[in-house]
């Protein structure tokens, strides 16, 4: 079901059991814009069916927030202009060269080019896989791009991110809403989950310069300003406690700096920042 955030903004909630992220819809007087294309053709089709139930202007644009498979593998289903930043475009090229039959998918999983969950989703939600070829994006921008949907501006910006090197966020000024994709999350390298410590403060700065009151994230759906600020505060406090590869020292530093024990979220973040130190020291 399509959730209504305002008269002009809707979203399809994430489904963790199907590895489906949040998808967004922004409507202007003339056109509509979709945020992320889904993890498969079936995900995209399900989204389009929900959009058809609403009396909204025709979809003219699809913006991909970053080049992780669950956000773009449905893009062939949209009769619209697909927009990506230049880094996302380069990363998608590998997937354009892929074949999607069972034998090829297994080969990519064995070579760590594709996750087993991705293969499973595609085998379930991509028909005619033997003939499937991922299309190329239509518009490639470098840093920022502003789109007018008809009395409705959408500001696209590539920002620094603790999750990926190619993050794009979408800000709708008159609604004070920003779609973050997965940019505020951590990532996994060599089986270690971590937040990129050097990019945390620049990322928060890039996001907080926008006057936003509601935030849509790829795998939590929606947060208000207070919830987002708590998230930033916990991440920042955890980050400041980590100055080495020692988890024990980081926990001790946190307690000394904050005069309390870290909560569960902060413990998780501290471990992730220590993991990042270990990755950077390898």
């Amino acid at each position: 079901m399509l959730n209504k955030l305002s008269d002009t903004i809707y979203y399809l909630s994430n489904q963790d059991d199907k590895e489906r992220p949040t998808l967004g819809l922004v409507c202007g007087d003339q056109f509509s814009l979709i945020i992320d294309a889904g993890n498969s053709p079936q995900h995209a089709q399900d989204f389009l069916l929900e959009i058809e139930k609403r009396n909204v202007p025709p979809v003219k644009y699809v913006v991909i927030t970053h080049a992780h498979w669950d956000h773009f593998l449905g893009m062939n289903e949209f009769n619209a202009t697909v927009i990506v930043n230049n880094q996302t475009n380069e990363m998608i090229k590998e997937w354009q060269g892929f074949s999607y039959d069972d034998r090829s998918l297994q080969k990519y999983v064995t070579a760590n080019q594709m996750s087993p969950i991705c293969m499973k989703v595609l085998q379930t939600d991509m028909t005619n896989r033997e003939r499937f070829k991922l299309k190329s994006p239509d518009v490639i921008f470098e840093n920022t791009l502003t789109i007018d949907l008809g009395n409705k501006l959408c500001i696209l910006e590539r920002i620094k991110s603790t999750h990926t090197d190619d993050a794009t966020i979408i800000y709708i000024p008159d609604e004070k809403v920003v779609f973050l994709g997965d940019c505020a999350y951590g990532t996994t390298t060599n089986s270690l989950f971590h937040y990129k410590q050097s990019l945390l403060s620049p990322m928060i700065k890039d996001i907080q310069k926008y006057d936003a009151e509601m935030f849509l994230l790829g795998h939590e759906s929606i947060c208000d300003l207070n919830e987002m600020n708590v998230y930033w505060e916990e991440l920042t406090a955890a980050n400041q406690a980590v100055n080495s590869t020692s988890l024990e020292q980081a926990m001790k530093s946190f307690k000394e700096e904050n005069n309390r024990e870290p909560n569960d979220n902060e413990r998780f973040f501290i471990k992730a920042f220590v993991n990042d130190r270990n990755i950077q020291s390898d």
Side-chain angles (χ1 to χ4, degrees):
M1 185 180 75
L2 211 55
N3 302 288
K4 183 177 180 179
L5 182 63
S6 73
D7 288 341
T8 60
I9 298 178
Y10 303 85
Y11 64 97
L12 189 67
S13 294
N14 60 299
Q15 293 177 271
D16 290 341
D17 60 323
K18 294 185 176 182
E19 206 69 21
R20 289 183 170 187
T22 303
L23 305 182
L25 175 68
V26 183
C27 307
D29 290 344
Q30 294 179 293
F31 306 110
S32 296
L33 175 146
I34 281 173
I35 296 158
D36 279 330
N39 71 353
S40 63
Q42 187 61 56
H43 190 194
Q45 290 165 19
D46 291 347
F47 189 34
L48 285 167
L49 283 173
E50 292 298 326
I51 292 173
E52 285 177 13
K53 298 175 185 177
R54 301 276 180 172
N55 182 26
V56 301
V59 174
K60 187 173 183 179
Y61 305 102
V62 176
V63 180
I64 307 298
T65 59
H66 64 295
H68 285 169
W69 67 274
D70 51 327
H71 294 261
F72 69 78
L73 278 177
M75 71 181 189
N76 283 23
E77 301 303 308
F78 297 95
N79 182 23
T81 299
V82 176
I83 303 172
V84 298
N85 69 49
N86 53 356
Q87 181 66 24
T88 299
N89 184 58
E90 290 302 313
M91 294 169 73
I92 283 177
K93 284 180 180 177
E94 179 182 15
W95 292 78
Q96 290 174 292
F98 281 178
S99 298
Y100 291 84
D101 57 276
D102 284 339
R103 184 177 177 182
S104 296
L105 293 178
Q106 186 58 62
K107 181 181 71 174
Y108 303 141
V109 169
T110 302
N112 291 321
Q113 293 175 284
M114 180 183 290
S115 68
I117 186 65
C118 177
M119 178 176 71
K120 183 180 178 181
V121 166
L122 295 182
Q123 287 174 330
T124 303
D125 287 352
M126 181 184 281
T127 57
N128 301 318
R129 284 182 291 108
E130 290 75 12
R131 297 193 299 274
F132 183 86
K133 286 291 180 183
L134 186 69
K135 72 178 185 179
S136 298
D138 302 294
V139 173
I140 301 160
F141 71 97
E142 188 168 352
N143 295 312
T144 62
L145 181 66
T146 298
I147 296 172
D148 188 353
L149 301 175
N151 204 31
K152 179 72 62 179
L153 294 180
C154 298
I155 299 171
L156 284 54
E157 183 181 3
R158 179 181 173 184
I159 69 164
K160 298 177 181 67
S161 167
T162 54
H163 181 70
T164 181
D165 293 334
D166 68 316
T168 291
I169 63 173
I170 300 91
Y171 176 60
I172 301 94
D174 68 324
E175 300 276 6
K176 295 187 176 182
V177 170
V178 61
F179 284 83
L180 295 177
D182 292 358
C183 75
Y185 300 140
T187 188
T188 300
T189 304
N190 300 329
S191 300
L192 284 177
F193 179 79
H194 65 113
Y195 280 82
K196 297 174 183 176
Q197 198 172 24
S198 64
L199 294 178
L200 179 67
S201 293
M203 175 183 72
I204 294 173
K205 184 178 179 181
D206 280 348
I207 294 170
Q208 287 188 330
K209 72 182 180 186
Y210 291 108
D211 180 18
E213 295 177 355
M214 302 301 289
F215 303 79
L216 285 105
L217 293 95
H219 298 275
E220 260 94 18
S221 290
I222 191 162
C223 293
D224 61 25
L225 181 58
N226 181 61
E227 290 169 321
M228 209 69 219
N229 284 339
V230 169
Y231 182 69
W232 297 139
E233 288 163 6
E234 291 178 339
L235 270 174
T236 300
N239 180 38
Q240 290 171 345
V242 178
N243 295 300
S244 71
T245 57
S246 169
L247 180 59
E248 182 181 0
Q249 182 58 47
M251 293 294 183
K252 181 180 177 182
S253 294
F254 184 97
K255 187 174 181 180
E256 289 174 352
E257 291 173 18
N258 297 279
N259 296 313
R260 62 175 176 85
E261 296 287 347
N263 64 32
D264 289 345
N265 289 339
E266 290 160 340
R267 286 179 181 274
F268 177 80
F269 298 148
I270 288 169
K271 186 174 182 181
F273 286 123
V274 169
N275 285 344
D276 189 62
R277 286 274 179 167
N278 281 301
I279 290 166
Q280 302 308 323
S281 65
D282 286 345

